[in-house]
Amino acid sequence: MNMRFLHISDLHFGKKLNEFSLIEDQKFIIFKILQCIDEHKPDALLIAGDVYDKGIPSVEAVKLFDFFLNSLSQKKITTYIISGNHDSPERMTCGSSLMEQSGIHFARAYDGQSCKYELQDKEGPVNIYLLPFIKPAIVRAALESLGKSDEAEKIITYDDAVAAAISQMNVDWSKRNVLVAHQFVTGSTRCDSEDISVGGTDNISAELFEKFDYVALGHLHGCQKAGGENIRYSGSPLKYSFSEVNHKKGGLIVELGAKGELKVEQVLFEPKHDLRCIKGKYEEITLKKYWEEMGDGINDYLHITLTDEEDIPEGFARLQLIYKNLVSLDYDNSRTQKDNQIEGAAEVEKRSPLDLFEQFYELQNNQKFSEEQKKLSESLIEEIWGGAK
């Protein structure tokens, strides 16, 4: 039988949708994941980062993750977990040595060496490499601590950092190798619920991952390929913004046969509450016939766009009497269509942080950066983003 994995990511335990806590929705989706494990019987579960929504998670989020880990342990499913950019690797891996005995394997905070595990099937070994979210400053510091200052100095971009981390793995490419990572591959599609790096400094090339038999990626919330059949984002198991309304959420069942043989299939997780957008006039969408026809969908998390020319007094509160899970409200009419938009906002990812700082300074002060100010900005960018200028 082929080696089989369930690949999931971006659980974001503790996340809120505006002021709505999603803890119960997340617990519901945990049961869906556990049912998927029972049905498909994977050899291992791969969790590709962003377990939590914050580096210091809420008590409810920690309890939920604890429940999930205990459930996985009871099912005796081998599990590999890395931290994402939202996680604190040091906090998340507390107790990981003890959990190793239950088949729950955490990637430690990056120290210059990636965690490696091995599974066996009829075709031989499959090597599992765990690479938590990294940025250039992290890799430079790790290599310097190993006495590799010459290599550390060459790491400027995220591309450099990931390439260096992979080179430190000493991968035997003649064998089957799986990488679990949490980075942004250039060209992939983002959502509103994800962090966007100014200037696109966190972009890495898909070419770095080409030699792996499978790369289980986290970070982006839409299920998608990232440059090849073998490089995939599973996407988040729940919709975390209204830009994800049309997404099909779930995980990926990955089958590895002999070297070079790969099959990937998406499995869907039905949520407790879906996300839905409604658009129309106030009088229309408050008609009993309208909301009765929605059935159970009336309990979904809703974004409503009113097309009335005049704002409805206390419109949000009045609509919430019918739609209890109303998350947000806006208007689409002649007034809003004429609202001025900031030019170039969509281009922010294509500009470097230093370019944006310089442009802002010039607009505010009607003069350009001095060399001293430019050097100070460069050092601050390096400290905050840990990447290229």
Side-chain angles (χ1 to χ4, degrees):
M1 185 175 177
N2 292 341
M3 182 73 70
R4 182 178 290 184
F5 303 99
L6 172 58
H7 166 199
I8 61 173
S9 71
D10 296 272
L11 300 166
H12 286 279
F13 290 150
K15 187 173 181 64
K16 291 185 176 182
L17 191 62
N18 284 1
E19 295 305 312
F20 286 88
S21 169
L22 297 178
I23 286 290
E24 290 304 314
D25 297 83
Q26 292 173 330
K27 188 169 186 178
F28 186 88
I29 221 67
I30 283 175
F31 284 113
K32 294 296 181 180
I33 295 170
L34 296 173
Q35 287 173 7
C36 180
I37 290 170
D38 289 339
E39 180 181 349
H40 291 275
K41 303 188 186 312
D43 296 284
L45 172 65
L46 311 177
I47 304 179
D50 279 358
V51 169
Y52 291 121
D53 192 54
K54 296 180 179 178
I56 303 178
S58 65
V59 172
E60 292 80 8
V62 173
K63 287 182 177 179
L64 189 60
F65 189 36
D66 180 65
F67 168 76
F68 189 29
L69 292 176
N70 273 294
S71 300
L72 295 172
S73 177
Q74 289 169 13
K75 290 187 179 296
K76 302 186 185 305
I77 173 77
T78 302
T79 301
Y80 301 101
I81 307 170
I82 66 168
S83 56
N85 59 301
H86 280 250
D87 301 310
S88 163
E90 294 81 7
R91 288 186 176 87
M92 199 173 78
T93 56
C94 179
S96 59
S97 298
L98 185 62
M99 284 185 273
E100 289 269 340
Q101 301 170 28
S102 299
I104 309 292
H105 307 289
F106 284 86
R108 61 182 177 269
Y110 188 73
D111 59 3
Q113 297 294 325
S114 300
C115 297
K116 176 187 174 184
Y117 297 90
E118 184 181 294
L119 295 175
Q120 289 277 346
D121 67 3
K122 61 183 177 62
E123 300 291 343
V126 175
N127 297 317
I128 313 292
Y129 294 91
L130 305 184
L131 182 63
F133 174 75
I134 56 173
K135 51 187 179 180
I138 292 172
V139 179
R140 280 197 299 270
L143 292 181
E144 286 171 358
S145 70
L146 295 174
K148 300 180 179 181
S149 298
D150 290 345
E151 294 179 40
E153 290 176 359
K154 299 175 183 176
I155 297 172
I156 306 300
T157 67
Y158 274 72
D159 236 34
D160 298 335
V162 174
I166 292 173
S167 71
Q168 295 296 316
M169 295 175 184
N170 297 316
V171 180
D172 181 349
W173 298 111
S174 68
K175 296 181 179 178
R176 292 174 297 167
N177 300 290
V178 172
L179 175 68
V180 186
H182 192 95
Q183 305 289 158
F184 174 60
V185 176
T186 303
S188 302
T189 304
R190 293 188 185 271
C191 302
D192 291 345
S193 55
E194 301 153 2
D195 288 345
I196 294 178
S197 176
V198 178
T201 55
D202 60 346
N203 291 11
I204 64 167
S205 169
E207 293 178 5
L208 295 173
F209 297 142
E210 283 181 343
K211 290 185 179 180
F212 286 95
D213 294 88
Y214 185 72
V215 181
L217 288 172
H219 193 36
L220 302 187
H221 293 180
C223 180
Q224 58 191 293
K225 299 175 190 176
E229 293 290 331
N230 61 320
I231 309 169
R232 305 265 188 152
Y233 287 100
S234 65
S236 57
L238 283 171
K239 298 175 183 178
Y240 287 130
S241 71
F242 287 98
S243 67
E244 301 166 52
V245 162
N246 295 320
H247 285 193
K248 293 181 178 179
K249 297 293 189 179
L252 296 174
I253 295 293
V254 181
E255 287 191 30
L256 285 182
K259 180 74 175 176
E261 294 180 0
L262 174 68
K263 179 182 177 183
V264 183
E265 176 187 1
Q266 187 183 27
V267 288
L268 302 181
F269 303 147
E270 183 182 352
K272 184 174 184 178
H273 300 102
D274 203 347
L275 263 67
R276 183 189 297 256
C277 294
I278 293 175
K279 186 174 183 178
K281 291 187 178 297
Y282 177 84
E283 184 178 345
E284 173 193 357
I285 65 176
T286 53
L287 286 174
K288 184 178 180 181
K289 180 183 177 183
Y290 183 93
W291 52 261
E292 278 186 341
E293 289 178 353
M294 292 178 63
D296 292 338
I298 196 173
N299 296 316
D300 289 340
Y301 294 115
L302 299 177
H303 172 81
I304 293 180
T305 299
L306 293 179
T307 56
D308 301 82
E309 284 299 323
E310 299 294 330
D311 288 5
I312 304 300
E314 299 182 355
F316 190 95
R318 292 165 69 180
L319 285 167
Q320 211 168 30
L321 294 173
I322 300 172
Y323 305 104
K324 64 178 183 179
N325 289 330
L326 175 60
V327 174
S328 54
L329 171 68
D330 65 6
Y331 287 83
D332 182 10
N333 53 32
S334 57
R335 172 180 58 82
T336 61
Q337 290 167 8
K338 290 179 181 177
D339 281 350
N340 292 327
Q341 300 295 319
I342 298 173
E343 279 191 333
E347 299 296 311
V348 112
E349 261 191 278
K350 299 177 183 178
R351 304 281 301 277
S352 74
L354 185 60
D355 286 344
L356 292 168
F357 279 147
E358 286 189 291
Q359 182 186 28
F360 179 73
Y361 182 86
E362 189 172 347
L363 285 171
Q364 289 288 98
N365 301 282
N366 200 29
Q367 60 181 343
K368 293 184 180 296
F369 263 4
S370 67
E371 280 302 311
E372 184 179 352
Q373 289 168 325
K374 186 173 182 178
K375 288 178 181 178
L376 175 61
S377 297
E378 287 175 343
S379 66
L380 289 171
I381 290 167
E382 175 69 18
E383 181 180 343
I384 295 168
W385 278 288
K389 306 166 186 65

